[in-house]
Amino acid sequence: MANIKSAKKRIKVNEMRAARNKAIRSKVKTAIKKVDAAVLSGDKDTARKVFNEAEVIIGQAAGKGVYHKNNSARKISRLAKAVNSLG
């Protein structure tokens, strides 16, 4: 355990940020799973709706710095490709 006041603060801040980042990553993963499930079921309307929600969530994660912008763009691109494959 740290003795210096600023080091103690750093530990607390890092824990809070790690928890926030973990929650955001979990939200993104859940959104991706929902899109994948809709694509597998073949339901075009549901897939489109869930994809739009996932796109927003992934974009927000990139905006907050949890994911790099290229990483989030790649995730969105792959989801869009899967949804568009439904026809």
Side-chain angles (χ1 to χ4, degrees):
M1 183 66 195
N3 291 322
I4 298 168
K5 188 175 182 180
S6 61
K8 289 178 182 177
K9 181 182 176 183
R10 283 286 110 217
I11 291 169
K12 278 186 177 180
V13 170
N14 287 338
E15 285 175 354
M16 286 192 314
R17 287 184 177 174
R20 181 185 131 234
N21 291 345
K22 189 174 182 181
I24 292 170
R25 284 182 195 274
S26 176
K27 207 173 192 180
V28 168
K29 288 179 186 176
T30 303
I32 290 171
K33 285 178 189 173
K34 284 182 182 177
V35 175
D36 288 340
V39 169
L40 281 176
S41 70
D43 190 0
K44 186 177 175 182
D45 294 332
T46 306
R48 240 232 208 258
K49 181 180 170 224
V50 179
F51 167 71
N52 289 337
E53 293 168 3
E55 191 175 9
V56 170
I57 291 170
I58 295 170
Q60 287 174 343
K64 292 178 181 179
V66 177
Y67 287 112
H68 189 274
K69 63 177 186 168
N70 291 351
N71 188 338
S72 64
R74 184 178 66 244
K75 288 180 187 300
I76 292 170
S77 174
R78 287 178 179 171
L79 290 177
K81 188 176 178 182
V83 171
N84 290 336
S85 71
L86 292 176

XYZ file of all heavy atoms in Angstrom:
658
model
N 0.846 -1.187 0.000
C 0.000 0.000 0.000
C 0.884 1.241 0.000
O 1.906 1.282 0.677
C -0.891 -0.038 1.240
C -1.887 1.084 1.361
S -3.117 0.999 0.057
C -3.822 2.616 0.191
N 0.450 2.225 -0.743
C 1.213 3.463 -0.868
C 1.132 4.288 0.418
O 0.149 4.231 1.149
C 0.672 4.269 -2.031
N 2.179 5.058 0.654
C 2.214 5.944 1.820
C 1.964 7.390 1.434
O 1.462 8.170 2.237
C 3.578 5.851 2.523
C 3.781 4.505 3.183
O 2.849 3.944 3.730
N 4.990 3.995 3.106
N 2.326 7.730 0.226
C 2.213 9.119 -0.216
C 0.769 9.394 -0.643
O 0.129 8.567 -1.293
C 3.192 9.380 -1.379
C 4.618 9.163 -0.878
C 3.015 10.773 -1.945
C 5.646 9.106 -1.964
N 0.285 10.597 -0.279
C -1.113 10.949 -0.513
C -1.472 10.893 -2.005
O -2.527 10.365 -2.383
C -1.379 12.342 0.044
C -2.827 12.749 0.024
C -3.033 14.090 0.700
C -4.498 14.460 0.714
N -4.724 15.753 1.357
N -0.613 11.419 -2.852
C -0.912 11.432 -4.288
C -0.929 10.018 -4.874
O -1.716 9.723 -5.775
C 0.101 12.296 -5.042
O 1.407 11.776 -4.887
N -0.078 9.153 -4.322
C -0.051 7.760 -4.788
C -1.336 7.039 -4.378
O -1.874 6.233 -5.136
C 1.166 7.039 -4.223
N -1.842 7.360 -3.182
C -3.103 6.773 -2.733
C -4.246 7.215 -3.652
O -5.114 6.426 -4.006
C -3.402 7.183 -1.291
C -2.502 6.539 -0.266
C -2.828 7.018 1.124
C -1.892 6.416 2.147
N -2.136 6.911 3.510
N -4.210 8.498 -4.015
C -5.243 9.026 -4.912
C -5.162 8.343 -6.271
O -6.186 7.993 -6.855
C -5.099 10.530 -5.076
C -6.162 11.115 -5.974
C -6.005 12.602 -6.193
C -7.060 13.080 -7.174
N -6.930 14.497 -7.484
N -3.959 8.175 -6.779
C -3.769 7.510 -8.077
C -4.380 6.110 -8.062
O -5.031 5.690 -9.010
C -2.277 7.381 -8.412
C -1.600 8.609 -8.895
C -1.993 8.928 -10.330
N -2.810 10.113 -10.346
C -3.847 10.330 -11.142
N -4.215 9.442 -12.027
N -4.519 11.434 -11.096
N -4.166 5.391 -6.970
C -4.709 4.035 -6.852
C -6.238 4.066 -6.926
O -6.854 3.288 -7.649
C -4.228 3.359 -5.546
C -2.720 3.069 -5.635
C -4.998 2.085 -5.261
C -2.089 2.648 -4.327
N -6.854 4.997 -6.176
C -8.307 5.115 -6.184
C -8.831 5.478 -7.563
O -9.806 4.905 -8.060
C -8.761 6.190 -5.190
C -8.840 5.743 -3.773
C -9.445 6.855 -2.938
C -9.630 6.438 -1.508
N -10.213 7.509 -0.684
N -8.197 6.462 -8.193
C -8.643 6.929 -9.512
C -8.507 5.815 -10.547
O -9.407 5.605 -11.361
C -7.849 8.188 -9.936
C -8.115 8.526 -11.386
C -8.203 9.358 -9.051
N -7.388 5.097 -10.488
C -7.183 3.994 -11.436
C -8.229 2.902 -11.261
O -8.697 2.322 -12.247
C -5.777 3.416 -11.290
C -4.720 4.345 -11.849
O -5.000 5.195 -12.678
N -3.495 4.181 -11.388
N -8.604 2.612 -10.018
C -9.634 1.604 -9.762
C -10.976 2.044 -10.326
O -11.704 1.250 -10.928
C -9.756 1.327 -8.263
C -8.630 0.486 -7.705
C -8.695 0.329 -6.194
O -9.561 0.970 -5.543
O -7.879 -0.430 -5.657
N -11.304 3.320 -10.141
C -12.574 3.840 -10.662
C -12.599 3.786 -12.189
O -13.598 3.384 -12.790
C -12.802 5.282 -10.195
C -13.188 5.401 -8.745
S -13.791 7.044 -8.272
C -12.618 8.156 -9.019
N -11.500 4.192 -12.787
C -11.440 4.175 -14.253
C -11.489 2.759 -14.805
O -12.135 2.511 -15.817
C -10.175 4.881 -14.740
C -10.239 6.381 -14.579
C -9.024 7.053 -15.162
N -9.156 8.486 -15.046
C -8.203 9.354 -15.363
N -7.045 8.905 -15.819
N -8.403 10.636 -15.254
N -10.820 1.843 -14.133
C -10.827 0.451 -14.575
C -12.241 -0.119 -14.501
O -12.678 -0.840 -15.409
C -9.869 -0.380 -13.733
N -12.959 0.221 -13.450
C -14.334 -0.256 -13.299
C -15.220 0.323 -14.394
O -16.060 -0.380 -14.971
C -14.875 0.129 -11.930
N -15.034 1.597 -14.691
C -15.817 2.259 -15.743
C -15.530 1.627 -17.095
O -16.445 1.303 -17.858
C -15.495 3.747 -15.779
C -16.274 4.505 -16.819
C -15.819 5.966 -16.898
N -15.591 6.259 -18.289
C -14.486 6.742 -18.797
N -13.462 7.001 -18.028
N -14.379 6.992 -20.085
N -14.242 1.431 -17.383
C -13.859 0.835 -18.657
C -14.404 -0.584 -18.794
O -14.849 -0.985 -19.867
C -12.338 0.819 -18.813
C -11.770 2.205 -18.995
O -12.488 3.159 -19.284
N -10.469 2.326 -18.823
N -14.379 -1.337 -17.706
C -14.871 -2.708 -17.727
C -16.364 -2.734 -18.025
O -16.846 -3.571 -18.796
C -14.575 -3.386 -16.376
C -14.845 -4.869 -16.365
C -14.395 -5.488 -15.055
C -14.610 -6.990 -15.060
N -14.217 -7.614 -13.804
N -17.101 -1.818 -17.422
C -18.546 -1.744 -17.651
C -18.849 -1.397 -19.107
O -19.745 -1.986 -19.726
C -19.167 -0.709 -16.720
N -18.084 -0.473 -19.664
C -18.304 -0.059 -21.053
C -17.958 -1.196 -22.005
O -18.699 -1.473 -22.956
C -17.488 1.215 -21.368
C -18.048 2.400 -20.576
C -17.507 1.513 -22.850
C -17.192 3.645 -20.614
N -16.841 -1.882 -21.757
C -16.457 -3.019 -22.607
C -17.522 -4.115 -22.554
O -17.850 -4.728 -23.570
C -15.119 -3.602 -22.145
C -13.929 -2.769 -22.536
C -12.647 -3.447 -22.091
N -11.522 -2.542 -22.130
C -10.779 -2.318 -23.202
N -11.052 -2.941 -24.323
N -9.779 -1.471 -23.174
N -18.070 -4.347 -21.371
C -19.106 -5.363 -21.202
C -20.348 -4.992 -22.005
O -20.969 -5.843 -22.653
C -19.454 -5.500 -19.727
O -20.506 -6.405 -19.555
N -20.709 -3.710 -21.975
C -21.867 -3.220 -22.719
C -21.676 -3.428 -24.217
O -22.598 -3.826 -24.936
C -22.046 -1.727 -22.409
C -23.439 -1.213 -22.529
C -23.495 0.216 -22.032
C -24.933 0.658 -21.877
N -25.050 2.021 -21.408
N -20.448 -3.155 -24.695
C -20.141 -3.327 -26.117
C -20.250 -4.798 -26.510
O -20.849 -5.142 -27.536
C -18.730 -2.776 -26.441
C -18.281 -3.202 -27.820
C -18.719 -1.263 -26.331
N -19.683 -5.672 -25.688
C -19.727 -7.102 -25.987
C -21.158 -7.608 -26.038
O -21.518 -8.416 -26.906
C -18.924 -7.886 -24.943
C -17.431 -7.722 -25.071
C -16.736 -8.515 -23.977
C -15.241 -8.251 -23.973
N -14.570 -8.934 -22.855
N -21.991 -7.144 -25.106
C -23.396 -7.554 -25.079
C -24.108 -7.089 -26.343
O -24.886 -7.849 -26.937
C -24.097 -6.967 -23.835
O -23.403 -7.396 -22.667
C -25.546 -7.399 -23.765
N -23.834 -5.851 -26.772
C -24.467 -5.314 -27.977
C -24.068 -6.132 -29.204
O -24.910 -6.436 -30.064
C -24.082 -3.851 -28.156
N -22.793 -6.513 -29.271
C -22.304 -7.309 -30.399
C -22.976 -8.679 -30.402
O -23.381 -9.187 -31.458
C -20.770 -7.436 -30.352
C -20.129 -6.083 -30.667
C -20.271 -8.498 -31.317
C -18.638 -6.023 -30.455
N -23.119 -9.283 -29.220
C -23.759 -10.589 -29.126
C -25.216 -10.525 -29.576
O -25.722 -11.446 -30.216
C -23.689 -11.114 -27.694
C -22.316 -11.617 -27.305
C -22.311 -12.074 -25.860
C -20.900 -12.375 -25.397
N -20.840 -12.656 -23.953
N -25.901 -9.423 -29.253
C -27.294 -9.261 -29.667
C -27.405 -9.205 -31.192
O -28.301 -9.809 -31.777
C -27.900 -7.997 -29.055
C -28.255 -8.120 -27.594
C -28.887 -6.842 -27.085
C -29.200 -6.925 -25.614
N -29.757 -5.659 -25.103
N -26.483 -8.470 -31.820
C -26.494 -8.372 -33.286
C -26.214 -9.742 -33.895
O -26.908 -10.170 -34.824
C -25.469 -7.329 -33.790
C -25.401 -7.335 -35.304
C -25.818 -5.945 -33.282
N -25.215 -10.432 -33.380
C -24.871 -11.757 -33.901
C -26.049 -12.726 -33.771
O -26.324 -13.504 -34.682
C -23.644 -12.321 -33.177
C -22.360 -11.604 -33.565
O -22.341 -10.962 -34.642
O -21.386 -11.686 -32.804
N -26.749 -12.668 -32.639
C -27.898 -13.546 -32.428
C -29.006 -13.240 -33.425
O -29.632 -14.150 -33.975
C -28.414 -13.404 -31.006
N -29.248 -11.951 -33.681
C -30.288 -11.555 -34.626
C -29.924 -11.991 -36.036
O -30.782 -12.421 -36.811
C -30.500 -10.048 -34.575
N -28.641 -11.896 -36.390
C -28.189 -12.307 -37.721
C -28.345 -13.821 -37.872
O -28.796 -14.315 -38.906
C -26.727 -11.870 -37.967
C -26.163 -12.520 -39.212
C -26.645 -10.354 -38.091
N -27.982 -14.572 -36.831
C -28.105 -16.034 -36.889
C -29.555 -16.481 -37.015
O -29.847 -17.466 -37.686
C -27.468 -16.674 -35.649
C -25.947 -16.778 -35.661
C -25.442 -17.326 -34.340
C -25.480 -17.667 -36.808
N -30.456 -15.744 -36.365
C -31.874 -16.109 -36.450
C -32.459 -15.736 -37.810
O -33.528 -16.222 -38.170
C -32.663 -15.426 -35.332
O -32.745 -14.031 -35.563
N -31.771 -14.856 -38.540
C -32.226 -14.470 -39.878
C -33.281 -13.385 -39.868
O -33.884 -13.096 -40.904
N -33.517 -12.767 -38.727
C -34.527 -11.712 -38.613
C -33.920 -10.369 -39.027
O -33.182 -9.748 -38.274
C -35.049 -11.654 -37.180
C -36.256 -10.754 -37.036
O -36.685 -10.174 -38.049
O -36.775 -10.648 -35.913
N -34.242 -9.934 -40.223
C -33.618 -8.756 -40.817
C -33.967 -7.472 -40.050
O -33.087 -6.655 -39.760
C -34.057 -8.634 -42.273
C -33.373 -7.554 -43.050
C -33.836 -7.578 -44.494
C -33.270 -6.427 -45.280
N -33.745 -6.418 -46.659
N -35.250 -7.297 -39.707
C -35.679 -6.068 -39.030
C -35.057 -5.945 -37.643
O -34.559 -4.878 -37.269
C -37.208 -6.033 -38.918
C -37.871 -5.923 -40.284
O -37.236 -5.361 -41.195
O -39.021 -6.399 -40.431
N -35.077 -7.024 -36.900
C -34.482 -7.008 -35.562
C -32.982 -6.773 -35.646
O -32.433 -6.001 -34.859
C -34.749 -8.342 -34.828
O -36.148 -8.589 -34.833
C -34.241 -8.289 -33.411
N -32.339 -7.414 -36.612
C -30.894 -7.258 -36.773
C -30.546 -5.805 -37.055
O -29.589 -5.268 -36.497
C -30.389 -8.158 -37.906
N -31.329 -5.159 -37.926
C -31.075 -3.753 -38.257
C -31.236 -2.852 -37.037
O -30.426 -1.965 -36.771
C -32.066 -3.318 -39.314
C -31.524 -2.888 -40.465
C -31.384 -2.002 -41.443
N -30.993 -2.723 -42.658
C -29.771 -2.737 -43.085
N -28.814 -2.123 -42.442
N -29.472 -3.370 -44.180
N -32.325 -3.106 -36.291
C -32.614 -2.300 -35.103
C -31.506 -2.456 -34.064
O -31.000 -1.477 -33.508
C -33.964 -2.727 -34.519
C -34.382 -1.945 -33.317
C -35.727 -2.413 -32.798
C -35.988 -1.790 -31.461
N -36.522 -2.730 -30.493
N -31.132 -3.693 -33.785
C -30.107 -3.965 -32.772
C -28.751 -3.449 -33.247
O -27.946 -2.969 -32.440
C -30.050 -5.474 -32.453
C -28.996 -5.784 -31.434
C -31.398 -5.954 -31.948
N -28.499 -3.520 -34.560
C -27.233 -3.009 -35.096
C -27.120 -1.509 -34.863
O -26.050 -1.019 -34.478
C -27.114 -3.303 -36.593
C -26.007 -2.545 -37.268
C -24.681 -2.872 -37.019
C -26.267 -1.486 -38.108
C -23.644 -2.169 -37.612
C -25.250 -0.777 -38.710
C -23.935 -1.120 -38.462
N -28.209 -0.771 -35.080
C -28.176 0.681 -34.865
C -27.855 1.012 -33.415
O -27.078 1.937 -33.130
C -29.505 1.311 -35.272
C -29.692 1.312 -36.776
O -28.722 1.252 -37.530
N -30.932 1.355 -37.216
N -28.431 0.248 -32.488
C -28.144 0.470 -31.069
C -26.683 0.138 -30.756
O -26.011 0.865 -30.021
C -29.069 -0.390 -30.210
C -30.531 0.014 -30.299
C -31.470 -0.994 -29.678
O -30.992 -2.006 -29.114
O -32.693 -0.775 -29.762
N -26.198 -0.954 -31.328
C -24.812 -1.366 -31.088
C -23.839 -0.337 -31.647
O -22.801 -0.057 -31.031
C -24.553 -2.726 -31.718
N -24.174 0.228 -32.796
C -23.306 1.228 -33.419
C -23.123 2.430 -32.505
O -22.014 2.950 -32.339
C -23.912 1.659 -34.758
C -22.996 2.491 -35.611
C -23.593 2.795 -36.972
O -24.783 2.503 -37.201
O -22.850 3.339 -37.808
N -24.209 2.855 -31.874
C -24.143 3.991 -30.948
C -23.274 3.649 -29.739
O -22.409 4.436 -29.334
C -25.568 4.404 -30.492
C -25.510 5.409 -29.368
C -26.345 4.958 -31.669
N -23.490 2.466 -29.183
C -22.745 2.059 -27.982
C -21.253 1.963 -28.283
O -20.414 2.431 -27.504
C -23.288 0.717 -27.448
C -24.700 0.916 -26.893
C -22.381 0.144 -26.377
C -25.428 -0.360 -26.570
N -20.910 1.375 -29.427
C -19.496 1.229 -29.794
C -18.875 2.598 -30.056
O -17.736 2.867 -29.655
C -19.350 0.308 -31.021
C -19.797 -1.107 -30.667
C -17.910 0.288 -31.512
C -19.934 -2.036 -31.851
N -19.628 3.477 -30.696
C -19.134 4.837 -30.946
C -18.881 5.600 -29.667
O -17.890 6.334 -29.544
N -19.762 5.425 -28.691
C -19.577 6.094 -27.406
C -18.342 5.563 -26.692
O -17.598 6.324 -26.063
C -20.809 5.892 -26.521
C -21.996 6.699 -26.960
C -23.257 6.380 -26.177
O -23.332 5.345 -25.510
N -24.248 7.246 -26.275
N -18.115 4.263 -26.799
C -16.937 3.668 -26.163
C -15.663 4.242 -26.771
O -14.690 4.518 -26.060
C -16.963 2.154 -26.315
N -15.679 4.444 -28.082
C -14.510 5.039 -28.743
C -14.344 6.489 -28.324
O -13.229 6.964 -28.102
C -14.653 4.939 -30.256
N -15.451 7.193 -28.189
C -15.404 8.594 -27.791
C -14.854 8.787 -26.394
O -14.213 9.796 -26.096
N -15.093 7.810 -25.522
C -14.598 7.894 -24.151
C -13.186 7.352 -24.019
O -12.614 7.351 -22.937
C -15.536 7.121 -23.219
C -16.883 7.792 -23.097
C -17.821 7.019 -22.214
C -19.155 7.732 -22.142
N -20.125 7.011 -21.319
N -12.632 6.849 -25.117
C -11.248 6.386 -25.084
C -11.081 4.953 -24.610
O -9.960 4.525 -24.363
N -12.176 4.214 -24.479
C -12.074 2.829 -24.038
C -11.529 1.974 -25.179
O -10.728 1.076 -24.961
C -13.441 2.301 -23.558
C -13.352 0.847 -23.158
C -13.925 3.141 -22.390
N -11.986 2.270 -26.402
C -11.480 1.603 -27.601
C -10.842 2.643 -28.511
O -11.286 3.795 -28.543
C -12.617 0.929 -28.381
C -13.158 -0.323 -27.747
C -14.436 -0.365 -27.223
C -12.397 -1.478 -27.685
C -14.938 -1.514 -26.651
C -12.887 -2.635 -27.118
C -14.161 -2.644 -26.597
O -14.650 -3.784 -26.030
N -9.833 2.247 -29.247
C -9.247 3.111 -30.269
C -10.270 3.291 -31.376
O -11.097 2.399 -31.614
C -7.970 2.466 -30.816
C -7.178 3.371 -31.711
N -7.442 3.479 -33.050
C -6.145 4.213 -31.456
C -6.600 4.350 -33.588
N -5.805 4.809 -32.636
N -10.241 4.437 -32.049
C -11.262 4.717 -33.066
C -11.241 3.695 -34.198
O -12.298 3.330 -34.729
C -11.110 6.133 -33.622
C -9.823 6.382 -34.350
C -9.782 7.786 -34.942
C -8.537 7.934 -35.792
N -8.574 9.131 -36.599
N -10.061 3.193 -34.550
C -9.989 2.190 -35.617
C -10.563 0.852 -35.161
O -11.169 0.121 -35.947
C -8.550 1.994 -36.095
C -8.017 3.197 -36.830
O -8.764 4.122 -37.143
N -6.723 3.211 -37.104
N -10.360 0.535 -33.897
C -10.905 -0.692 -33.335
C -12.433 -0.651 -33.376
O -13.083 -1.607 -33.806
C -10.412 -0.865 -31.890
C -10.762 -2.195 -31.287
O -11.683 -2.864 -31.722
N -10.034 -2.572 -30.260
N -13.001 0.475 -32.954
C -14.461 0.595 -32.962
C -14.993 0.617 -34.391
O -16.040 0.030 -34.671
C -14.905 1.850 -32.209
O -14.432 3.001 -32.853
N -14.260 1.253 -35.304
C -14.684 1.281 -36.708
C -14.685 -0.127 -37.287
O -15.590 -0.499 -38.050
C -13.765 2.189 -37.523
N -13.691 -0.921 -36.919
C -13.608 -2.302 -37.402
C -14.777 -3.135 -36.868
O -15.398 -3.903 -37.602
C -12.277 -2.923 -36.975
C -12.073 -4.333 -37.526
C -10.725 -4.907 -37.120
N -10.645 -5.123 -35.688
C -9.796 -4.493 -34.869
N -8.937 -3.602 -35.338
N -9.778 -4.756 -33.582
N -15.102 -2.948 -35.589
C -16.218 -3.684 -34.995
C -17.533 -3.326 -35.703
O -18.324 -4.210 -36.051
C -16.336 -3.365 -33.498
C -15.250 -3.977 -32.639
C -15.452 -3.598 -31.188
C -14.324 -4.029 -30.290
N -14.095 -5.460 -30.260
N -17.753 -2.044 -35.926
C -18.970 -1.592 -36.587
C -19.031 -2.118 -38.011
O -20.081 -2.576 -38.479
C -19.063 -0.049 -36.557
C -19.289 0.436 -35.127
C -20.175 0.447 -37.473
C -19.148 1.935 -34.938
N -17.903 -2.085 -38.696
C -17.846 -2.555 -40.081
C -18.203 -4.030 -40.178
O -18.975 -4.442 -41.057
C -16.454 -2.309 -40.648
O -16.329 -2.866 -41.926
N -17.670 -4.828 -39.280
C -17.943 -6.265 -39.309
C -19.408 -6.559 -38.991
O -20.014 -7.443 -39.594
C -17.033 -6.994 -38.319
C -15.602 -7.050 -38.809
C -14.692 -7.724 -37.820
N -13.328 -7.765 -38.354
C -12.266 -8.128 -37.659
N -12.396 -8.499 -36.399
N -11.069 -8.132 -38.210
N -19.979 -5.795 -38.066
C -21.390 -5.984 -37.750
C -22.261 -5.579 -38.940
O -23.231 -6.268 -39.275
C -21.782 -5.170 -36.508
C -21.217 -5.643 -35.178
C -21.626 -4.687 -34.064
C -21.679 -7.042 -34.860
N -21.905 -4.466 -39.579
C -22.674 -3.991 -40.735
C -22.621 -5.018 -41.859
O -23.633 -5.294 -42.510
C -22.122 -2.655 -41.208
N -21.455 -5.588 -42.066
C -21.298 -6.611 -43.104
C -22.192 -7.815 -42.811
O -22.832 -8.354 -43.707
C -19.830 -7.030 -43.174
C -19.479 -7.938 -44.318
C -17.987 -8.217 -44.340
C -17.629 -9.179 -45.461
N -16.200 -9.497 -45.468
N -22.258 -8.224 -41.555
C -23.077 -9.368 -41.168
C -24.565 -9.055 -41.374
O -25.313 -9.879 -41.897
C -22.804 -9.741 -39.711
N -24.980 -7.846 -40.977
C -26.387 -7.469 -41.124
C -26.769 -7.341 -42.596
O -27.840 -7.778 -43.010
C -26.669 -6.138 -40.359
C -28.054 -5.613 -40.687
C -26.513 -6.346 -38.861
N -25.876 -6.772 -43.396
C -26.156 -6.596 -44.822
C -26.184 -7.929 -45.570
O -26.776 -8.017 -46.642
C -25.131 -5.663 -45.470
C -25.311 -4.234 -45.005
O -26.397 -3.846 -44.586
N -24.242 -3.457 -45.050
N -25.552 -8.937 -45.002
C -25.545 -10.246 -45.666
C -26.920 -10.900 -45.628
O -27.177 -11.855 -46.365
C -24.520 -11.169 -45.015
O -24.963 -11.568 -43.732
N -27.812 -10.362 -44.779
C -29.160 -10.922 -44.710
C -29.992 -10.581 -45.954
O -30.972 -11.226 -46.230
C -29.881 -10.402 -43.449
C -29.338 -10.890 -42.124
C -30.068 -10.238 -40.970
C -29.457 -12.408 -42.018
N -29.564 -9.537 -46.660
C -30.229 -9.220 -47.907
C -31.189 -8.095 -47.863
O -31.610 -7.486 -47.028
